[in-house]
Amino acid sequence: MSVERRIIKAPSSDGIHTLAGVLYLPAGEVKGIFHIVHGMTEYIGRYEKFMQDMAAEGYAACGYDNLGHGQTARDDGELGFIAERRGWELLARDVAVFRNAVEAEVGEHPYILMGHSMGSFIARLAAARFTRPDRLIIMGTGGKNPLSAPGIMIIDAVKLFKGGKYISKFVDNLTFGDYNKSFADDGVPNPWLTSDIEIRKKYAADKYCTFKFTVSAMGDLVRLLKYTNSSSWYKTLECELPVLLVSGERDPVGNFGKGVREVHERLQKSGHNSTLVLYPDGRHEILNDTTYPKVKEDILQFIQFIQ
């Protein structure tokens, strides 16, 4: 099935930036809107194949570059900086903003929200507080981290003395320092992301994937993780909302499956309709690995019932 690609722009909830987005439309009837929220230090263009495939299945697939990312950043100097205050909330509010922009383009349809990695925390917060999807897909997420609270204190202290736009190697190592240690060094950076060496080479050569987060943005990331793993998040998220959790069992973000199982079990204990699929050979980017065909199949099966 042929698909149509459209550029979609929408004013960010920060009142400053314009969200740079894209929409892939099927040739025939639209079954639903499939909205993707990308992760940290990447951009929506990395999901082009998946969006094209979803459009070929009849869905209006869409997404945008988050604040501080890709072409939503007005220049390279803004990469890695979200906002002076409450950037975590702006990221989640923008999900609803972009949904409205897409619906103005294609009309109202069943709405599927999917977030990957940092985008999973953004989508989790957005679904609980700012926009109600018909299906929620949480990809490459993590569970509760007891170091979140002290981490926020450390980040805020660095921010106080150095400023929000300061890039701290210490904070970066504190957050991501151990991610590669469980994988053999094959000479290409970031083996924790995917086993596909060519994708990692492209990632390492892409300026939209190699910038560092400022301490302010690091604070936003840790707050997203903290708030979406709090008891209040489970209470706020509607129990009737079907949730699919997908992750690689070798993904350090999900603590190699343990953190994702924790989220699934807490959802079930709080009365939510939660389904969990873990991929034994999957690393962090399960859409960029040998797991892709199975992940796509599982997602299509999960969303087919919204018709």
Side-chain angles (χ1 to χ4, degrees):
M1 180 186 292
S2 62
V3 301
E4 176 190 352
R5 183 181 187 272
R6 295 184 191 175
I7 298 297
I8 302 290
K9 294 183 180 293
S12 169
S13 59
D14 73 352
I16 301 170
H17 293 86
T18 299
L19 303 175
V22 65
L23 169 66
Y24 288 85
L25 286 170
E29 181 182 355
V30 173
K31 296 178 181 178
I33 296 172
F34 195 102
H35 183 175
I36 301 167
V37 185
H38 72 74
M40 175 183 177
T41 59
E42 60 163 354
Y43 55 101
I44 198 61
R46 298 189 74 234
Y47 296 79
E48 181 177 22
K49 173 178 168 51
F50 182 61
M51 287 190 288
Q52 288 176 337
D53 286 352
M54 295 308 293
E57 295 288 343
Y59 297 92
C62 61
Y64 58 90
D65 296 340
N66 291 327
L67 289 170
H69 292 76
Q71 295 181 35
T72 293
R74 294 173 297 186
D75 56 54
D76 292 356
E78 289 191 341
L79 294 172
F81 179 75
I82 309 301
E84 291 289 348
R85 294 181 63 256
R86 300 178 72 86
W88 57 271
E89 182 177 334
L90 294 172
L91 289 167
R93 286 186 181 274
D94 279 347
V95 174
V97 167
F98 194 75
R99 173 186 181 175
N100 291 339
V102 171
E103 288 183 341
E105 192 84 8
V106 302
E108 292 188 10
H109 296 278
Y111 175 66
I112 305 114
L113 178 60
M114 185 189 95
H116 168 70
S117 193
M118 181 178 180
S120 75
F121 301 113
I122 296 170
R124 285 167 66 178
L125 183 61
R129 291 182 52 180
F130 302 116
T131 190
R132 205 288 190 186
D134 295 291
R135 292 287 189 276
L136 176 63
I137 302 170
I138 303 173
M139 178 181 289
T141 201
K144 191 173 183 179
N145 189 331
L147 298 179
S148 292
I152 289 172
M153 292 178 62
I154 292 170
I155 290 168
D156 285 350
V158 176
K159 180 180 177 180
L160 179 65
F161 287 99
K162 295 289 189 177
K165 295 184 178 180
Y166 178 71
I167 295 173
S168 170
K169 185 175 181 180
F170 169 74
V171 171
D172 189 71
N173 288 336
L174 191 68
T175 310
F176 306 109
D178 292 337
Y179 277 11
N180 286 313
K181 72 175 185 178
S182 298
F183 303 93
D185 184 359
D186 54 16
V188 181
N190 301 309
W192 67 278
L193 289 177
T194 170
S195 63
D196 191 316
I197 290 177
E198 293 307 313
I199 287 177
R200 278 163 36 212
K201 285 180 179 178
K202 290 179 181 178
Y203 183 95
D206 193 330
K207 72 174 184 178
Y208 289 131
C209 297
T210 52
F211 60 90
K212 295 293 186 181
F213 256 29
T214 62
V215 290
S216 175
M218 283 292 195
D220 292 325
L221 170 63
V222 178
R223 282 178 170 86
L224 280 168
L225 190 154
K226 178 184 176 182
Y227 298 156
T228 55
N229 283 293
S230 66
S231 297
S232 63
W233 179 76
Y234 290 92
K235 292 177 182 177
T236 306
L237 190 72
E238 291 188 20
C239 288
E240 296 78 14
L241 171 63
V243 180
L244 172 66
L245 292 124
V246 286
S247 184
E249 277 196 339
R250 302 192 67 199
D251 182 3
V253 173
N255 194 18
F256 304 94
K258 294 178 183 177
V260 191
R261 289 189 185 94
E262 173 201 311
V263 175
H264 172 60
E265 289 168 3
R266 291 184 71 184
L267 281 167
Q268 290 197 319
K269 286 179 181 178
S270 55
H272 291 84
N273 179 9
S274 175
T275 302
L276 170 65
V277 182
L278 292 172
Y279 303 90
D281 296 324
R283 301 187 190 186
H284 185 54
E285 294 190 346
I286 53 176
L287 292 179
N288 282 325
D289 216 322
T290 55
T291 49
Y292 179 81
K294 186 64 169 65
V295 175
K296 185 179 74 172
E297 176 187 334
D298 290 338
I299 288 173
L300 286 170
Q301 182 177 1
F302 174 69
I303 65 177
Q304 68 179 330
F305 301 107
I306 64 173
Q307 305 310 313

